[in-house]
Amino acid sequence: MEIGKSYCRVDAVDKVTGRARYTQDYPVPGLLTARLVRSTVANGRVKRIDTAAAAAVPGVRAIYTCFDVPDRNYPTAGHPWSLDPGHQDISDRHLLNERVRYVGDEVAVVVADNAVAADRAVRLVEVEYEIYPAVFDVEEALKPEAMPLHPDVRPDNIIVKSQFKIGERNFDDLANETDLTFVEGTYDTQVVQHCHIELPVSRGYMEDGKIVIITSTQIPHIVRRVISQALGLAIGKIRVIKPYIGGGFGNKQDVLYEPLNAWLVQQLGRPVEVFISREETFTSTRTRHAIRTKLKTFVRSDGRLIGRHYVGYANNGGYASHGHAVCANCANEYRMLYQDEAVLDSTSYTVYTNRPAAGAMRGYGIPQACFIMEAHMDDVAKSIGMDPVAFRRKNMMKAGYVDPVTTITCHSTKLDECLTRGMEHIDWARKRTEYGRDTGNIRRGVGMAMFCYKTGVYPISLETSTVRMILNQDGSIQMQMGATEIGQGASTVFSQMAAQTLGISFEKIHIVQAQDTDTTPFDTGAYASRQSYVSGMAVKKTAEVMKEKILTYCSERTGEPADDLDIHADVIVRRTDGTPVMDMEELAMNAMYSLERTEHITANETVHCRDNTYAFGATFAEIEVDMRYGKIKVVDIINVHDSGTILNPDVAAGQVHGGMSMGLGYVLGEDYIYDDDGVQQNANLLHYKILTAADHPDLHHAFVECEDPSAPYGNKALGEPPTLTVAPAIRNALLHATGLSINALPLSPQNLLRAFEAAGIGENDD
């Protein structure tokens, strides 16, 4: 059995020795460099661009402005394309923009022999704007007097408004019932950045009549399609190569600058690199959505949720990117994890504003949902004097649940066991009693939060994947996939899957690490914690077909019945008694070179996935809060996960610890800081504070395994879940320590001190 073993990652040696090649490691002779000229106003229109001084800089080859590019709208979201026009991603992007919608919008591009010349020329481009009033807040953008940012796409600033209601009762009618407690609150999450190490760079050139783009992306096949849409060029004339990638976390699930790169190659007939700096990655790629919710809840004294009312507003910035999908996903989590006895009434808005565009980021709306929902659930439990874990157990999703909107079924759950493991680790019962009484400067508290998480995007969107396997002459297997390795360990677990199904040793599975749309089978890419589930199904199906072909050929060569043959440890054996029949290398050489009959054994299979399943888990945290300085110290923290069968424990542990680290940054301090004109003040890694190794507590994890019947190897989502509940667990520990509900992220020292002062509590408030 190869599943469940902690094999070393197949990309580990290349990465730690520096042999792994990333986008900028691919040599492209004669490469020019492109730098962008960006808007200095948050809302306006370009009236005039003077490029004379910039064009005179030695080494400048060309300058293109928003007045030079095709007048074609295109989408950028890394979603499967829908054949239904009503479900297609919103096309509101241009290669360069005359109508600017945030500080950092692209208005012109300089192409030069080198970066020095390009940067110098960018500073010399003069742009004159017609300036309009900017709107940064979602509720302000919804007012009738607010200027529509995309009148050609939407008549106002609502990208999408969606509603659902579960239950027959009217929420407001519950106010007439005397035995219910009413709780309400407004909860806000902030804008944060992905902070992947590798910048979102791309290189393009012409070869064999095609535009070739080498790019750091999670979605190479989708990049190819979007370039086609942006340029009006046949897809067959475009080739996208995705090499090793230095992190993406969702930012590279958008098609960022690859269409512009392709257009520049087309115009100049020369190789061009579009370079995006760290500062530009902050201001002008994608962010996590800031989401504001207004929640109302009626609860019975025994802890049963009777009715909830949800209104959510997602600040999408100046462009649609992933549209309403993130905000809708946030509301889905609110519906799925807890069930109400009478009614859940939900309304969600995704709104254009003059902020940078928000898109996908690890968790896709569920980190926001978990903070919003789990903070509120603790507030509700506190209002009736009930233990937060007991309250959750009374209302949480159970096995067999079928979501009334999506029909996704809970095939398996160990959430209850996750809660038990977390309580045991943190010593919940004792500390909930002993803590929460301090009145001095240092106060301690324990808190928790839990989640459910879908595995992929079915049935909301298409789920499909193809795998190709080729028998090599030494009996090993070459495997190609459109599913992408982006640092999460996908190539390793795919190799384990193939090895287990085929009966071939792990070392003899050779997975191709890079994707090339000219040769790589189709897959939509790395997002939604989908690949080990959906692409894993394709691996299993292809391996089964491959194995059948191998055994059939062996039967023809040896006369042994094919149905009595199997492969074990690289040897074809009889099923009945285990007698060796032929080793894999001998069979492969015969298949290639036999004078009697050759067969170049391959398999190429597609899976169209029509199922989904839920992963579950919880975070438990213990904190100390310094009331004088507003500083939270995380004393202990554990994530407990039900992700079905754990495919590779060491790789899984790395995923969990990485996600917990992101969650700690999210809760303790990461935030975009803007001035009144919409200019980001901390668009670099010096001033935008992410946690260092020295800032981390010891990170603990545990897995409660169960085999999910819908999954190819019993596995469920794990890529995104580790980051979901760290923030609300720490917020709820703060509630326990201080008695104060703080409903906005981040819980930075300055924000805590303001909240303590407003509440009239401090280091000696007794």
Side-chain angles (χ1 to χ4, degrees):
M1 297 291 288
E2 306 298 327
I3 297 299
K5 294 182 179 179
S6 288
Y7 282 108
C8 180
R9 286 177 52 148
V10 297
D11 54 354
V13 174
D14 281 353
K15 287 183 173 178
V16 300
T17 59
R19 289 201 299 260
R21 290 202 301 166
Y22 298 83
T23 295
Q24 291 185 293
D25 295 321
Y26 277 65
V28 180
L31 189 68
L32 302 176
T33 187
R35 298 290 193 274
L36 283 146
V37 180
R38 299 187 177 279
S39 171
T40 57
V41 303
N43 195 15
R45 185 177 298 278
V46 176
K47 295 173 63 177
R48 181 183 63 87
I49 299 181
D50 187 343
T51 63
V57 173
V60 170
R61 295 296 181 126
I63 301 175
Y64 299 101
T65 75
C66 54
F67 303 113
D68 300 320
V69 298
D71 185 17
R72 293 179 66 94
N73 281 10
Y74 62 92
T76 65
H79 293 153
W81 189 242
S82 175
L83 299 180
D84 176 2
H87 288 89
Q88 291 170 358
D89 291 312
I90 297 169
S91 295
D92 64 358
R93 279 277 180 176
H94 278 71
L95 296 175
L96 299 169
N97 298 291
E98 177 187 354
R99 176 70 171 86
V100 296
R101 298 173 176 89
Y102 70 96
V103 175
D105 212 342
E106 302 86 11
V107 298
V109 61
V110 174
V111 185
D113 290 334
N114 55 69
V116 173
D119 288 338
R120 183 181 172 197
V122 163
R123 291 192 293 270
L124 293 174
V125 174
E126 296 180 7
V127 185
E128 182 183 348
Y129 300 96
E130 179 181 348
I131 300 175
Y132 307 140
V135 58
F136 303 118
D137 181 80
V138 284
E139 293 185 77
E140 291 296 316
L142 290 174
K143 291 182 177 178
E145 62 269 24
M147 174 183 286
L149 296 187
H150 290 272
D152 57 326
V153 175
R154 294 290 187 269
D156 51 29
N157 289 318
I158 300 174
I159 297 175
V160 176
K161 173 186 176 183
S162 65
Q163 296 175 288
F164 62 80
K165 182 183 175 189
I166 310 300
E168 299 300 321
R169 300 282 302 276
N170 290 321
F171 176 82
D172 290 338
D173 291 345
L174 298 178
N176 300 321
E177 299 189 16
T178 58
D179 60 338
L180 301 181
T181 298
F182 177 71
V183 183
E184 65 179 330
T186 298
Y187 302 81
D188 281 278
T189 67
Q190 80 280 36
V191 174
V192 295
Q193 231 287 320
H194 312 72
C195 295
H196 38 73
I197 295 173
E198 185 190 20
L199 299 170
V201 294
S202 62
R203 291 180 166 186
Y205 57 93
M206 295 293 299
E207 183 176 276
D208 297 330
K210 294 184 177 185
I211 296 175
V212 183
I213 299 294
I214 308 169
T215 181
S216 180
T217 182
Q218 300 170 218
I219 49 168
H221 281 282
I222 293 175
V223 169
R224 186 189 196 196
R225 185 253 300 163
V226 172
I227 292 173
S228 170
Q229 291 172 305
L231 273 58
L233 188 65
I235 283 182
K237 293 288 187 179
I238 302 161
R239 176 185 174 197
V240 174
I241 299 170
K242 175 243 153 222
Y244 280 107
I245 175 174
F249 305 114
N251 201 16
K252 298 172 186 176
Q253 196 205 333
D254 240 278
V255 183
L256 299 171
Y257 293 98
E258 295 92 345
L260 178 61
N261 198 162
W263 186 79
L264 292 173
V265 170
Q266 190 181 53
Q267 299 307 301
L268 294 166
R270 290 279 307 274
V272 179
E273 175 183 78
V274 176
F275 179 82
I276 305 300
S277 69
R278 178 64 63 186
E279 291 76 10
E280 291 173 296
T281 303
F282 273 99
T283 63
S284 304
T285 57
R286 303 293 181 268
T287 69
R288 176 175 282 164
H289 291 73
I291 295 181
R292 176 179 303 153
T293 58
K294 299 180 179 181
L295 308 180
K296 300 176 182 179
T297 295
F298 285 101
V299 61
R300 208 162 45 217
S301 58
D302 66 355
R304 184 71 177 98
L305 287 170
I306 306 303
R308 290 179 296 161
H309 188 274
Y310 172 104
V311 181
Y313 307 90
N315 190 327
N316 216 75
Y319 294 91
S321 181
H322 283 241
H324 191 54
V326 172
C327 188
N329 210 33
C330 182
N332 286 342
E333 176 79 359
Y334 200 74
R335 178 185 70 247
M336 290 170 172
L337 185 56
Y338 297 98
Q339 280 77 60
D340 307 271
E341 185 175 291
V343 62
L344 169 60
D345 199 334
S346 172
T347 303
S348 298
Y349 301 86
T350 298
V351 184
Y352 284 125
T353 72
N354 293 119
R355 293 294 191 209
M361 186 172 173
R362 191 176 192 175
Y364 210 77
I366 309 304
Q368 299 97 311
C370 284
F371 177 78
I372 290 159
M373 172 178 64
E374 291 298 87
H376 187 63
M377 290 298 99
D378 254 45
D379 292 346
V380 172
K382 184 173 183 284
S383 74
I384 58 173
M386 191 170 184
D387 176 81
V389 176
F391 173 74
R392 286 170 170 81
R393 280 177 159 152
K394 195 172 191 70
N395 295 286
M396 69 190 189
M397 186 196 299
K398 305 296 195 298
Y401 166 81
V402 178
D403 182 63
V405 176
T406 65
T407 71
I408 296 172
T409 300
C410 180
H411 298 294
S412 65
T413 176
K414 291 286 185 179
L415 180 55
D416 193 64
E417 289 88 337
C418 290
L419 297 178
T420 298
R421 290 284 293 276
M423 292 174 73
E424 291 170 350
H425 174 90
I426 214 76
D427 196 7
W428 177 265
R430 180 178 69 83
K431 291 176 180 177
R432 285 295 294 190
T433 302
E434 292 183 6
Y435 296 172
R437 302 177 179 180
D438 298 326
T439 58
N441 181 46
I442 303 297
R443 306 182 188 184
R444 283 202 171 198
V446 291
M448 59 78 60
M450 67 183 193
F451 70 87
C452 67
Y453 199 80
K454 304 186 301 296
T455 306
V457 299
Y458 178 83
I460 297 167
S461 190
L462 172 69
E463 279 293 11
T464 186
S465 178
T466 298
V467 173
R468 180 181 302 127
M469 293 183 184
I470 301 170
L471 180 64
N472 294 325
Q473 296 172 53
D474 61 355
S476 65
I477 298 293
Q478 194 86 359
M479 182 162 67
Q480 284 184 293
M481 303 181 66
T484 54
E485 169 65 67
I486 61 170
Q488 79 280 47
S491 291
T492 304
V493 298
F494 288 145
S495 298
Q496 290 178 249
M497 292 173 177
Q500 175 153 312
T501 301
L502 285 164
I504 293 173
S505 59
F506 173 76
E507 294 77 13
K508 290 199 171 185
I509 304 295
H510 304 296
I511 187 168
V512 179
Q513 296 282 336
Q515 279 74 38
D516 181 334
T517 58
D518 266 12
T519 58
T520 302
F522 185 83
D523 192 292
T524 51
Y527 56 86
S529 299
R530 61 176 290 278
Q531 289 192 152
S532 64
Y533 186 79
V534 177
S535 306
M537 292 179 183
V539 171
K540 188 172 186 177
K541 181 179 179 181
T542 307
E544 289 170 344
V545 171
M546 188 72 174
K547 185 175 184 177
E548 182 181 356
K549 289 183 175 183
I550 290 169
L551 297 180
T552 298
Y553 185 82
C554 181
S555 175
E556 293 174 1
R557 297 294 298 167
T558 64
E560 298 281 348
D563 59 3
D564 190 35
L565 295 177
D566 201 355
I567 307 172
H568 179 71
D570 306 318
V571 177
I572 300 172
V573 299
R574 290 198 194 107
R575 289 180 184 272
T576 49
D577 57 13
T579 300
V581 175
M582 182 183 293
D583 67 43
M584 283 294 299
E585 184 171 0
E586 181 184 357
L587 178 132
M589 292 297 285
N590 271 272
M592 293 287 183
Y593 298 116
S594 170
L595 294 177
E596 298 173 9
R597 191 177 84 81
T598 58
E599 181 179 350
H600 304 159
I601 300 176
T602 65
N604 194 98
E605 296 296 325
T606 297
V607 161
H608 187 141
C609 175
R610 291 182 172 87
D611 209 342
N612 205 320
T613 194
Y614 296 100
F616 298 91
T619 303
F620 285 75
E622 178 180 349
I623 68 165
E624 282 183 357
V625 56
D626 187 320
M627 304 297 291
R628 181 181 297 135
Y629 296 111
K631 183 171 176 59
I632 292 173
K633 176 184 177 182
V634 180
V635 176
D636 194 8
I637 187 166
I638 186 171
N639 266 28
V640 187
H641 289 269
D642 163 21
S643 289
T645 300
I646 299 302
L647 304 172
N648 182 313
D650 283 355
V651 169
Q655 284 287 83
V656 174
H657 290 176
M660 293 174 75
S661 176
M662 292 186 80
L664 287 167
Y666 188 46
V667 63
L668 295 178
E670 290 186 42
D671 196 4
Y672 270 40
I673 300 171
Y674 296 100
D675 67 13
D676 292 342
D677 295 320
V679 179
Q680 188 183 352
Q681 302 297 292
N682 60 338
N684 56 67
L685 291 176
L686 176 63
H687 298 113
Y688 180 93
K689 302 297 185 183
I690 61 174
L691 300 185
T692 68
D695 298 317
H696 282 74
D698 288 337
L699 302 177
H700 302 283
H701 74 278
F703 297 115
V704 181
E705 294 192 59
C706 66
E707 185 173 354
D708 190 272
S710 73
Y713 298 92
N715 53 294
K716 302 191 287 188
L718 184 60
E720 293 164 288
T723 199
L724 302 179
T725 46
V726 172
I730 290 173
R731 180 269 186 192
N732 291 339
L734 179 67
L735 171 63
H736 183 221
T738 66
L740 182 62
S741 294
I742 298 180
N743 296 343
L745 289 175
L747 303 181
S748 59
Q750 55 269 42
N751 288 346
L752 291 191
L753 288 174
R754 282 194 288 265
F756 294 162
E757 182 179 4
I761 64 173
E763 56 184 298
N764 291 297
D765 60 346
D766 53 335

